[in-house]
């Protein structure tokens, strides 16, 4: 079984920062894709940060320039540094991973439990 455990959410004021972490644990061969999604009240879940096939990073326009995704492959952990937070960033943030359980290229999708981020004065 594979688990994604997130941490780092909370309540902050506009302009402040938070850092989210998501660690993959369990029995697997390799974690391939790791990215971050969020779902605001009354809205659909959206992909906000991830890694490109070329090893770069990509962001939704709404967070570009303020959020930074990074990854520690040795720890199977992905981070999301969120700066200059705005009330519109209020949402449940979830990490997602595509995992290989064996050396064969069969990929399985997993989600974290979600962590609440609330930006309010």
């Amino acid at each position: 079984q594979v688990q994604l455990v997130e941490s780092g959410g909370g309540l902050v004021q506009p302009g402040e920062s938070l850092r989210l972490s998501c660690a993959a644990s369990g029995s697997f061969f390799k974690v391939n894709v790791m990215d971050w999604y969020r779902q605001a009240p009354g809205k659909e879940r959206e992909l906000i940060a991830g890694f490109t096939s070329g090893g770069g990073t990509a962001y939704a326009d709404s967070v570009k320039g303020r959020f930074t995704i990074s990854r520690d492959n040795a720890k199977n952990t992905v981070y999301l540094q969120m700066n200059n937070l705005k009330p519109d960033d209020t949402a449940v943030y979830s990490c997602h991973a595509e995992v290989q359980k064996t050396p064969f290229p069969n990929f399985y999708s997993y989600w974290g439990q979600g962590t609440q981020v609330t930006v309010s004065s």
Side-chain angles (χ1 to χ4, degrees):
Q1 188 67 296
V2 178
Q3 287 187 318
L4 300 181
V5 179
E6 300 152 354
S7 61
L11 171 64
V12 296
Q13 295 188 344
E16 293 186 339
S17 300
L18 279 175
R19 187 191 194 210
L20 306 182
S21 300
C22 173
S25 63
S27 179
F28 51 84
F29 174 70
K30 183 182 179 182
V31 179
N32 290 294
V33 172
M34 293 191 86
D35 41 37
W36 287 97
Y37 287 72
R38 72 181 182 186
Q39 185 168 21
K43 296 186 177 181
E44 294 188 355
R45 183 167 58 191
E46 61 171 336
L47 173 62
I48 58 168
F51 298 94
T52 66
S53 58
T57 55
Y59 301 93
D61 287 343
S62 56
V63 306
K64 197 174 296 182
R66 299 186 297 121
F67 290 12
T68 302
I69 188 172
S70 60
R71 179 172 172 174
D72 185 334
N73 290 327
K75 296 181 179 180
N76 292 310
T77 299
V78 65
Y79 305 95
L80 186 67
Q81 178 66 42
M82 306 185 293
N83 297 330
N84 190 23
L85 283 160
K86 304 175 181 181
D88 284 348
D89 295 318
T90 296
V92 175
Y93 286 70
S94 301
C95 68
H96 163 258
E98 295 283 339
V99 175
Q100 277 178 263
K101 294 186 178 180
T102 72
F104 294 101
N106 297 319
F107 303 99
Y108 298 85
S109 183
Y110 291 91
W111 291 89
Q113 80 281 5
T115 185
Q116 178 69 44
V117 172
T118 302
V119 185
S120 175
S121 56

